[in-house]
């Protein structure tokens, strides 16, 4: 799990990083709202922790920008402001939860875990090329039709749609779709990529699942 920390106070950013990394999360820290929004939109993070008072773009502006680009990553806003209007502003801007500084680290971790559990319920569909993945129905569709995915097909497709043209490693797919404890091997991923290719073709999708030898997969849009 990868968490983006957008915080300009170095000491707090460092302590958040240490706290989260000690619990096995990967983290990345950026110090202004503009970089925060740009990084969040990359789609590689499972959660964004976003301060409100930031240089360049404030946290509200950054959250609005992230949502305007249809990026559904969960956003946990952190701020010294705790007035009701500020909370409403944060939630309207697209934040999923709001935590006032100073916060108890146990509360922060509880929020992070709750938001990660809820992940995927924030957006209804992921779109790329001419194709959309309905996150509640588990269907892939484009003009040519609609097809139901199995649970594992859906898991793989979702990871690929989130990453778009960026490479998703086989290890990451195994970990995120099959889970740490499963006996699945890389061959399973290849089999499911094959199922998905067939289904994409059957509905006339212009998405191609490209394999990068031994490394993993990424999507490409035909004709672009
Ligand atoms: Ca700040």
């Amino acid at each position: 799990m990868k968490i983006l920390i957008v915080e300009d106070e170095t000491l707090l950013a460092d302590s958040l990083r240490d706290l989260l990394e000690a619990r096995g999360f990967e983290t990345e820290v950026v110090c202004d709202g503009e970089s925060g929004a740009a990084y969040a939109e990359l789609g590689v993070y499972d959660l964004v922790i976003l301060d409100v008072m930031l240089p360049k773009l404030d946290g509200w502006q950054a959250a609005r920008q992230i949502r305007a680009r249809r990026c559904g990553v969960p956003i946990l806003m952190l701020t010294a402001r705790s007035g009701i209007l500020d909370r409403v502003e944060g939630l309207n801007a697209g934040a999923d939860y709001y935590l006032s500084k100073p916060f108890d680290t146990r509360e922060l971790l509880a929020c992070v875990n709750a938001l990660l559990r809820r992940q995927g319920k924030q957006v209804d569909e992921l779109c790329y090329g001419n194709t959309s993945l309905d996150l509640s129905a588990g269907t892939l569709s484009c003009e040519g039709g609609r097809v139901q995915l199995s649970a594992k097909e859906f898991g793989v497709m979702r990871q690929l749609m989130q990453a778009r043209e960026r490479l998703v490693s086989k290890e990451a797919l195994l970990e995120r779709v099959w889970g740490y404890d499963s006996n699945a091997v890389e061959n399973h991923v290849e089999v499911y990529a094959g199922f998905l290719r067939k289904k994409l073709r059957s509905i006339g999708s212009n998405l191609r699942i490209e394999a990068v030898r031994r490394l993993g997969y990424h999507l490409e849009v035909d004709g672009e």
Side-chain angles (χ1 to χ4, degrees):
M1 289 281 188
K2 215 165 173 186
I3 298 181
L4 177 66
I5 300 166
V6 190
E7 171 61 74
D8 60 328
E9 290 160 54
T10 316
L11 282 179
L12 179 57
D14 288 349
S15 72
L16 282 169
R17 190 195 56 214
D18 293 347
L19 179 74
L20 293 166
E21 289 190 351
R23 275 150 185 89
F25 296 106
E26 278 181 73
T27 64
E28 185 109 47
V29 176
V30 294
C31 311
D32 67 82
E34 202 174 278
S35 316
Y39 275 63
E41 287 159 18
L42 294 176
V44 297
Y45 299 100
D46 299 292
L47 176 80
V48 178
I49 296 180
L50 183 62
D51 187 27
V52 168
M53 303 306 281
L54 288 167
K56 299 193 183 170
L57 291 181
D58 66 30
W60 299 325
Q61 293 169 317
R64 282 210 177 82
Q65 184 173 319
I66 293 165
R67 294 302 183 232
R69 307 261 162 95
R70 292 183 63 83
C71 179
V73 64
I75 299 175
L76 171 58
M77 282 192 117
L78 292 185
T79 179
R81 299 167 176 239
S82 57
I84 183 79
L85 287 177
D86 292 323
R87 286 169 187 264
V88 169
E89 175 82 24
L91 295 170
N92 283 341
D96 295 281
Y97 200 77
Y98 203 103
L99 209 53
S100 302
K101 294 177 191 173
F103 50 83
D104 184 294
T105 55
R106 285 166 305 181
E107 189 183 6
L108 176 95
L109 288 169
C111 287
V112 165
N113 287 327
L115 288 171
L116 289 173
R117 276 197 303 274
R118 264 170 51 191
Q119 188 171 9
K121 294 180 181 157
Q122 307 305 310
V123 283
D124 296 317
E125 60 177 15
L126 290 171
C127 301
Y128 192 44
N130 67 353
T131 307
S132 64
L133 177 65
D134 186 315
L135 297 182
S136 43
T139 54
L140 262 183
S141 55
C142 56
E143 270 180 33
R146 174 181 295 267
V147 64
Q148 183 70 46
L149 301 184
S150 72
K152 291 285 187 284
E153 288 169 347
F154 172 75
V156 172
M157 196 63 207
R158 180 172 170 188
Q159 294 296 324
L160 293 174
M161 294 280 279
Q162 281 173 336
R164 298 188 159 200
E165 73 282 359
R166 287 186 320 280
L167 183 78
V168 185
S169 70
K170 287 181 181 175
E171 294 79 28
L173 287 169
L174 279 173
E175 179 191 319
R176 292 172 191 165
V177 179
W178 277 265
Y180 281 113
D181 297 331
S182 89
N183 295 315
V185 292
E186 292 186 359
N187 183 42
H188 288 60
V189 181
E190 286 158 29
V191 169
Y192 278 87
F195 291 160
L196 284 168
R197 287 193 182 105
K198 220 174 265 174
K199 289 193 170 176
L200 285 166
R201 272 198 302 277
S202 76
I203 56 169
S205 169
N206 65 357
L207 293 182
R208 270 184 300 126
I209 299 176
E210 290 287 304
V212 179
R213 197 164 258 285
R214 282 194 292 275
L215 293 176
Y217 299 92
H218 66 93
L219 292 179
E220 264 184 26
V221 180
D222 268 340
E224 273 185 13

